[in-house]
Amino acid sequence: TSKFNLMGELITAAFSTSNLLLTFLLGLVSLYWLSVIVGAIGMDSLDFDLDLDADIDLDVDLDVDMDVDVDMDVDVDADVDTDVTSIGTVGGGNVFLGILRFLNFGRVPFMVLLSTIILSLWSISIYCNNDASWINPGNTTSMAAILFMPNLIVSLLLSKFFTAPLVPIFAKLNTAEKALVIDGKVGTLMTSIKEEETGQLKIDINGSIVSLSVQSNDGQSIQ
């Protein structure tokens, strides 16, 4: 009976006005991971890349030249210059990026971080905002609003703690991806190309298949 009473109190607190939004967000996160488990979507479908190691001035030059039986070049040039004249903006940006990096943003998948943050927010909110709580016994929305910011700070720190063991794992995965070198490798052309048409070239690098879009260097037909 006590277990049923506890479950009933939990459900009541979860769907109260003070906790309803976080319960809804937790439901969305749960639906996302359920979809990942059953294979409906990929784990990285809602992730995005967050580069926290970017400098204020960035110059990137990447040249890849490939000769595969015939003369074939793949050239990628990117020059990015960002000039920030406001010292305050630069300093503030660095501090903000430093905080994000401290909280493991950019080190582990975004949805993993978001899930742990929302779960922590919901759990702490349920503990604080219910009729039996000594913190907000009346379960008022005004008190819940006041408690939200402290709850968010604690949840961010808890998320960092829980995701810390995953940082070296994903760091190794990212390093393995960046270590692939295609310069000078021999690949297999999967589609014929001629003139300015683009074809697909596959290269086997240490057991990893890399697919590239390529063109004939002189417009000559390549089967």
Side-chain angles (χ1 to χ4, degrees), residues 36-58:
V36 171
I37 292 173
V38 300
I41 60 176
M43 181 177 174
D44 58 349
S45 58
L46 296 182
D47 283 338
F48 58 87
D49 294 330
L50 182 61
D51 188 2
L52 301 183
D53 294 321
D55 295 327
I56 298 302
D57 293 318
L58 178 64

Side-chain angles (χ1 to χ4, degrees), residues 54 103 106 125 127 136 151 156 169 180 187 197 218:
L103 296 173
S125 182
Y127 176 79
N136 184 16
N151 183 2
L156 289 171
I169 297 176
L180 296 179
E197 292 182 0
D218 54 5

Side-chain angles (χ1 to χ4, degrees), residues 104 107-109 160-176:
N104 292 335
R107 293 182 170 183
V108 297
K160 172 182 171 57
F161 173 77
F162 287 126
T163 59
L166 301 176
V167 172
I169 297 176
F170 286 102
K172 289 182 179 180
L173 293 176
N174 291 335
T175 301

